Amino acid sequence: MLSFILRRLAQAVLVLLVVGMGAFSLFQYVGDPVSNMLGQDATLAQRERLRDELGLDKPAPVQFAHFVGNALVGDFGVSLRQGREVSALIAERLPATLELSVVAAALAVALGIPLGVYAALRRRHWDAKLTMAVSLLGVSLPTFLIGIVLIEVFSVLLGWFPSFGRGATVQLGAWTTGLLTTDGWRHVALPAFTLAVYQLALVMRLVRAEMLEALRSDYVKFARARGLPDRVVNFGHALRNTLVPVLTISGLQLGSLIAFSVITETVFAWPGMGSLFIQAVQFPDVPVMAAYLCLIALVFVLINLAVDLLYAVVDPRLRVHAIAGEARR
Amino acid sequence: MRQRTPSTDAVVAATPAAARPVARWLRGDLWFDFTQSPLAVLAAFVALLCVGGALFAPWLAPHDPFDLATLDLADSHLPPAWLADGRAAYPLGTDDQGRDILSALLYGTRISLMVGLGAVTLSVLVGVTTGLVAGFVGGAVDAVLMRTCDVMLSFPPILIALLVDGVGRLLFPHARDLLAFAVLIFALSVTDCVRYARTVRGSTLVERHKEYVQAARLVGISRGRLLRRHVLPNVLGPVLVLATIQLGQAIVAEATLSFLGVGVPPTNPSLGTLIRIGNDFLYAGEWWITVFPGVALVLIAMSVNLLGDWLRDALNPRLR
Amino acid sequence: MSGPLLDVRDLGVEFPTRHGMLRALDGVSFDIAAGEILGLVGESGAGKSLTGAAIIGLLEPPGRVCRGQVLLEGQRIDDLPREAMRRLRGRRIGAIFQDPLTSLDPLYTVGHQLVETLRAHLPLGAAQARERAVELLRQTGVPAPAARFGQYPHELSGGLRQRVVIALALAAEPALVIADEPTTALDVAVQAQILRLLREVTQARGAAVMLITHDMGVVAETCDRVAVMYAGRVVEIGPVDEVIRRPAHPYTAGLMASVPSLHDARGRLAQIKGALPRLGEIPSGCAFHPRCPKASPRCSDERPELALVQRTRAACWWPIAESPVAP
């Protein structure tokens, strides 16, 4: 088990380094690195001093090491557009994005799994087919369109939910949360649902497909041949086998939720990292882009690692192989 | 190729010539399944309608929305023809610049489809080749390619598209239309290349170990020919499914990028751009500028996705 | 008991496809007495597995039973409602399938799967069920049964897994066990052990076995009677010795002749010319007539019924009634 974890950690570090190199190239070679660090308003003297410090005439690996060093302490320079430190900007906006993503993920899984199971078990009924058709709609509709429609219906016409911002937030140390106030929940409702739609449809379709596969498997056939009741066969055997790949893929999807939040945040004027990133791309604001890239890579790598570990915990076959692998040493 | 399950064992085993070329088998069976599925037929019909409209836009559109000379500000903000204040000359209304929505719709669909198809073509070409090479050559080449793919696959496509697009604009700040389109298409195709490479490589690995490949090698057929004439047809099934799904996703992704202002250049508005423009006027009650492009986008995306879905089920014998 | 344990009468199974309705089983009739082992042989695609699936009510849609009856201990079971059929499975008819690895759920221990089967049919408490399960494992020759109880399927070898599968099939003490190619996925050395085990445990319980296989060797070793299937029909049925030594149907004779023997002089391997007919193109009359060396016009016009020839029953207009075929 330990060697498995170590191997995955090593892979993770490798990925981070590769992404780091990409961000570094962005930072140093596209646009002016000195401006990136100091902002547009630096004086000539400051620029010269930084140029020496950065050692821009030193070989690339040295500069890269410098970049990584800075990155590890969270120093990505100054935003070209806003003139503030990138790290401060990100720290400000991180909680908003994370909360939005988590609420959306919870929605997607809580609704998606039962719907998918239903669609698989009652495969030939019209309501299951309708559910699948609706899920196709969910996958085909662009997120921004869903957001616009939801705003139009629930905000403008019905007035049930607000259409922008986070609402009343509570400060908990370094974290601002909107989940402790009713107003915060009212504000997060529409964006979270918009964000969740695609994931929900995906989870539903995935669960249905995996469940159908499981229901066709030999062990289900044998379970039926043994006269086990339908409930045990469908939920104890088929569903349990289905959940293993579904949960891992859902875990991976959490990362893509964070990515899709870019669109949702823009539509709902949600003050998160996503809207920050879009503004950076539009401007273009290189330090922010580079920082966002590194941060996202870190998040993804962590999620992948967690999911791999989860898989090993849930599937006994992997557990034993890992242990057996060690025993042989 | 069909896999055997106990219940269809009898049926399948009874069909002669198990080495029947996949293409012929696919075409015969596929067409039957297609005509049996009303949803697939409907989806194909809608898709064809949209494609036809886009293709023949220059002839079908009553006005040329890009010719600034023909725009008349006096004609702006007109509602669709069937409402009061509407005019028959502008069946779906006009936007704030006096552009006819119907024409803009047709041309916009054209652009959306072009970008989508471009992205898919690029992905397929690069991805399938990479996958074939990786699967067939194996060894270090395979390992490196697949590790790269792993890394890229864990990033969501929209982010990569945004990044590539952003970098592209940085590198070519004054890009003219063609270059801007090229950057966009490239951005949209990057992640999907990887997906094809993965799938094709998997299939190639499986095929490579089959007897017919080994036999062919013994006889002295060159690797290239082997790949092209023998392995490739057998791995194309999943590629076809992926391509259809990717087309739907590419169209939506392009619309998203354009909506966010980082997609197609504003001189050639796609459906996403139109929606963005219309969004500003939504609250003023001028719904037609957003709604019609929105509906068109949904129709195309849905019909393409439905077809891809149907194709995937049809090519998977076990889901029947 | 007066009648046979299992009585299959004129069973027909069809599949609706784009070629029209395909008749996969066309009038299959045979019976099995209590405690007897009947072999069901034929080439791949002859309909053997389908027969087993139809009897136990696990035909996969769109396949369905279109005619005939299946009687278990004198009562019809082919028209039972779902829940009644479910209760019957495992309790009165058990089943074993080909691949023991995929037959067991990889996420549950062997013991768990045994206990759930036991408690689904018998009123047992958890501790009682556990005891019973360990005992079953011991009876099917699993070494250290108490330890194996807590192991997962992938931790066992192929032979052990099949023993577990047999234990599972016998858990609720069924009167009939349908074994569909139980040894095909196993090593040759293990095959003999498993067959012996199957014979022993079923004899000990007085249970009957329907052994589906394409391997005549397995049939010769293990079965009391054998039914030969061709193109969805039974073409010959009788005691194992008789069918093997004195086959009355030309197809059976062809099968026996094509089994190579160590004593044969070197030469071409005997084979039956032609191939199994496509389901959509089953010949009229006797399905075997295009490949039969003794075919006559009557064979393509009228379909023969099973009729007694010497000591076996064969469906043929020109059965072989000669001296025994050399072993």
Side-chain angles (χ1 to χ4, degrees):
Chain A
M1 199 61 164
L2 191 62
S3 69
F4 174 71
I5 298 178
L6 283 179
R7 235 180 320 127
R8 297 296 289 113
L9 267 177
Q11 277 181 6
V13 170
L14 192 65
V15 169
L16 284 175
L17 272 178
V18 169
V19 173
M21 275 194 272
F24 168 68
S25 333
L26 204 61
F27 200 82
Q28 296 284 86
Y29 301 120
V30 181
D32 179 19
V34 175
S35 304
N36 290 343
M37 287 301 284
L38 292 179
Q40 310 272 38
D41 306 325
T43 66
L44 204 58
Q46 285 173 320
R47 284 175 189 268
E48 287 304 314
R49 195 171 44 223
L50 189 61
R51 220 172 275 273
D52 280 338
E53 256 181 44
L54 285 180
L56 284 176
D57 41 349
K58 295 221 180 64
V62 175
Q63 297 189 41
F64 181 54
H66 202 107
F67 176 78
V68 170
N70 279 341
L72 285 175
V73 296
D75 180 9
F76 281 98
V78 175
S79 159
L80 291 177
R81 195 174 61 95
Q82 299 200 24
R84 295 174 54 199
E85 277 199 11
V86 173
S87 45
L89 276 174
I90 291 189
E92 229 173 50
R93 300 192 151 223
L94 190 61
T97 302
L98 282 181
E99 281 187 2
L100 180 62
S101 306
V102 167
V103 172
L107 252 180
V109 168
L111 287 180
I113 293 184
L115 282 174
V117 170
Y118 183 76
L121 288 180
R122 289 167 68 84
R123 195 179 152 208
R124 295 173 194 271
H125 284 247
W126 65 267
D127 48 5
K129 291 194 176 171
L130 183 68
T131 314
M132 290 315 291
V134 170
S135 79
L136 192 66
L137 195 69
V139 177
S140 319
L141 284 179
T143 312
F144 69 90
L145 208 57
I146 298 174
I148 294 178
V149 168
L150 284 180
I151 291 182
E152 184 64 14
V153 171
F154 288 99
S155 207
V156 176
L157 287 178
L158 291 174
W160 288 356
F161 296 102
S163 65
F164 60 89
R166 269 182 100 186
T169 55
V170 173
Q171 190 82 23
L172 295 173
W175 192 274
T176 29
T177 175
L179 300 179
L180 288 178
T181 61
T182 329
D183 191 44
W185 276 103
R186 284 184 70 230
H187 274 86
V188 87
L190 286 186
F193 191 74
T194 307
L195 193 53
V197 166
Y198 184 77
Q199 303 305 319
L200 184 113
L202 219 62
V203 167
M204 195 161 69
R205 298 166 73 76
L206 183 67
V207 167
R208 173 190 182 261
E210 290 288 330
M211 188 89 176
L212 283 178
E213 276 283 316
L215 287 171
R216 294 246 158 196
S217 63
D218 279 348
Y219 56 84
V220 163
K221 189 167 75 161
F222 189 46
R224 292 225 168 92
R226 287 183 274 149
L228 296 180
D230 277 346
R231 196 185 23 94
V232 171
V233 174
N234 289 334
F235 293 99
H237 288 278
L239 182 60
R240 178 113 183 249
N241 274 272
T242 301
L243 282 183
V244 170
V246 165
L247 280 178
T248 48
I249 296 188
S250 300
L252 294 171
Q253 289 295 321
L254 183 62
S256 99
L257 267 183
I258 296 180
F260 271 96
S261 69
V262 165
I263 306 162
T264 313
E265 290 180 15
T266 310
V267 172
F268 286 92
W270 185 264
M273 285 195 315
S275 53
L276 182 69
F277 181 62
I278 279 293
Q279 289 157 4
V281 172
Q282 283 167 337
F283 185 71
D285 191 346
V286 173
V288 174
M289 280 169 69
Y292 190 76
L293 181 61
C294 290
L295 191 62
I296 287 293
L298 182 66
V299 167
F300 273 81
V301 158
L302 284 176
I303 291 178
N304 278 341
L305 203 61
V307 163
D308 274 343
L309 287 176
L310 192 69
Y311 218 138
V313 163
V314 171
D315 189 338
R317 287 170 288 188
L318 290 177
R319 238 187 287 158
V320 175
H321 281 155
I323 296 175
E326 265 198 15
R328 258 181 275 131
R329 255 169 265 280
Chain B
M1 297 293 269
R2 284 173 172 269
Q3 286 185 340
R4 290 164 169 231
T5 64
S7 65
T8 56
D9 195 40
V11 179
V12 172
T15 48
R20 185 189 278 199
V22 178
R24 249 195 289 151
W25 173 246
L26 277 183
R27 220 179 293 141
D29 236 16
L30 262 193
W31 184 250
F32 174 76
D33 286 332
F34 181 70
T35 49
Q36 290 290 82
S37 168
L39 209 57
V41 174
L42 182 67
F45 180 67
V46 171
L48 273 174
L49 213 65
C50 296
V51 169
L55 211 62
F56 299 111
W59 296 276
L60 286 174
H63 309 260
D64 181 352
F66 307 124
D67 191 349
L68 297 170
T70 61
L71 294 182
D72 186 356
L73 272 176
D75 286 338
S76 62
H77 298 280
L78 288 174
W82 60 85
L83 292 179
D85 296 336
R87 279 213 245 128
Y90 304 106
L92 294 179
T94 58
D95 69 358
D96 62 321
Q97 308 252 317
R99 271 192 287 247
D100 174 38
I101 296 294
L102 178 61
S103 315
L105 201 70
L106 286 170
Y107 277 96
T109 311
R110 192 174 213 223
I111 299 201
S112 297
L113 274 172
M114 263 171 30
V115 171
L117 282 170
V120 171
T121 314
L122 185 61
S123 305
V124 168
L125 282 176
V126 174
V128 170
T129 318
T130 314
L132 278 176
V133 167
F136 214 72
V137 171
V141 172
D142 179 33
V144 165
L145 281 172
M146 283 308 115
R147 285 291 83 76
T148 321
C149 288
D150 276 343
V151 171
M152 293 190 66
L153 268 179
S154 49
F155 288 91
I158 197 79
L159 268 190
I160 297 194
L162 275 169
L163 260 171
V164 173
D165 201 79
V167 171
R169 299 153 129 258
L170 275 171
L171 292 175
F172 314 109
H174 305 292
R176 275 169 296 117
D177 291 349
L178 208 56
L179 196 53
F181 270 106
V183 169
L184 181 63
I185 290 179
F186 178 70
L188 288 172
S189 63
V190 166
T191 331
D192 284 300
C193 279
V194 166
R195 218 159 278 167
Y196 290 114
R198 256 277 154 112
T199 313
V200 168
R201 174 233 185 211
S203 301
T204 311
L205 272 180
V206 168
E207 296 293 317
R208 178 172 129 196
H209 291 118
K210 289 202 177 151
E211 284 105 355
Y212 75 89
V213 169
Q214 293 171 356
R217 292 281 286 142
L218 277 174
V219 171
I221 299 185
S222 78
R223 275 162 143 186
R225 177 137 173 227
L226 196 60
L227 275 177
R228 251 181 311 119
R229 313 262 329 281
H230 298 273
V231 176
L232 192 58
N234 283 326
V235 307
L236 277 187
V239 169
L240 192 60
V241 174
L242 272 180
T244 324
I245 295 174
Q246 190 207 349
L247 182 61
Q249 288 178 343
I251 292 176
V252 167
E254 179 274 317
T256 307
L257 286 178
S258 302
F259 176 80
L260 293 171
V262 293
V264 295
T267 48
N268 297 66
S270 75
L271 292 173
T273 326
L274 290 172
I275 297 175
R276 175 166 59 98
I277 297 174
N279 199 23
D280 297 330
F281 299 100
L282 201 56
Y283 309 119
E286 289 164 16
W287 52 273
W288 54 90
I289 313 177
T290 299
V291 169
F292 290 123
V295 168
L297 184 64
V298 171
L299 277 178
I300 301 179
M302 268 213 76
S303 54
V304 169
N305 275 335
L306 263 173
L307 277 175
D309 227 39
W310 166 84
L311 199 65
R312 176 176 39 206
D313 278 354
L315 285 179
N316 181 350
R318 287 188 284 164
L319 273 187
R320 283 154 173 276
Chain C
M1 183 172 35
S2 46
L5 177 68
L6 179 76
D7 192 357
V8 177
R9 298 180 185 169
D10 198 35
L11 187 63
V13 166
E14 60 186 12
F15 284 84
T17 70
R18 69 173 172 121
H19 298 284
M21 202 59 87
L22 290 186
R23 196 57 77 71
L25 289 183
D26 194 359
V28 168
S29 303
F30 60 88
D31 54 60
I32 308 181
E36 168 179 62
I37 303 184
L38 174 78
L40 199 61
V41 281
E43 294 171 71
S44 292
K48 321 184 289 292
S49 295
L50 267 181
T51 310
I55 292 174
I56 203 171
L58 284 181
L59 267 184
E60 276 179 42
R64 53 170 223 261
V65 173
C66 60
R67 76 169 202 262
Q69 301 180 355
V70 178
L71 294 102
L72 184 67
E73 291 173 331
Q75 295 169 316
R76 272 192 79 169
I77 62 172
D78 54 289
D79 58 355
L80 285 179
R82 276 198 68 184
E83 181 57 18
M85 196 67 207
R86 200 264 311 159
R87 276 199 298 270
L88 188 147
R89 283 196 286 265
R91 184 76 179 89
R92 297 173 70 201
I93 307 184
I96 299 171
F97 301 112
Q98 179 169 331
D99 190 347
L101 179 57
T102 56
S103 290
L104 298 170
D105 189 331
L107 299 180
Y108 291 102
T109 61
V110 157
H112 176 109
Q113 303 192 47
L114 273 165
V115 165
E116 79 181 341
T117 311
L118 283 165
R119 298 186 77 183
H121 294 287
L122 307 168
L124 295 173
Q128 284 175 305
R130 191 179 198 279
E131 264 178 49
R132 196 70 103 84
V134 173
E135 177 60 23
L136 272 169
L137 285 175
R138 196 189 55 78
Q139 285 173 3
T140 49
V142 174
R148 299 289 184 182
F149 183 89
Q151 286 191 326
Y152 289 93
H154 63 273
E155 298 179 82
L156 306 174
S157 70
L160 272 186
R161 282 195 287 262
Q162 197 63 310
R163 290 175 192 268
V164 169
V165 166
I166 292 175
L168 278 166
L170 293 171
E173 310 284 324
L176 170 69
V177 174
I178 300 180
D180 191 345
E181 311 263 14
T183 54
T184 311
L186 301 172
D187 293 339
V188 172
V190 177
Q191 279 185 17
Q193 290 174 9
I194 296 296
L195 285 174
R196 217 179 6 251
L197 171 70
L198 190 60
R199 217 191 141 87
E200 277 166 15
V201 292
T202 48
Q203 301 286 345
R205 286 165 168 71
V209 178
M210 184 171 122
L211 182 56
I212 300 173
T213 178
H214 61 270
D215 188 339
M216 286 308 290
V218 165
V219 168
E221 283 279 319
T222 324
C223 302
D224 302 322
R225 285 164 67 227
V226 62
V228 179
M229 283 191 72
Y230 183 80
R233 305 143 187 220
V234 174
V235 295
E236 183 156 7
I237 181 169
V240 146
D241 275 345
E242 297 299 325
V243 171
I244 289 183
R245 289 157 179 271
R246 277 178 273 263
H249 196 283
Y251 175 61
T252 320
L255 279 183
M256 297 305 136
S258 61
V259 175
S261 156
L262 280 174
H263 310 291
D264 277 352
R266 266 181 304 173
R268 303 198 74 159
L269 284 176
Q271 36 169 316
I272 311 173
K273 72 169 165 63
L276 212 57
R278 272 204 263 190
L279 271 188
E281 293 171 13
I282 294 185
S284 59
C286 170
F288 186 61
H289 81 254
R291 305 168 71 186
C292 184
K294 307 176 81 180
S296 76
R298 190 182 187 195
C299 299
S300 58
D301 290 336
E302 286 178 65
R303 181 179 155 179
E305 295 293 325
L306 283 170
L308 191 62
V309 177
Q310 295 196 310
R311 293 206 182 81
T312 68
R313 292 193 299 142
C316 182
W317 296 125
W318 306 103
I320 310 165
E322 319 160 354
S323 46
V325 173

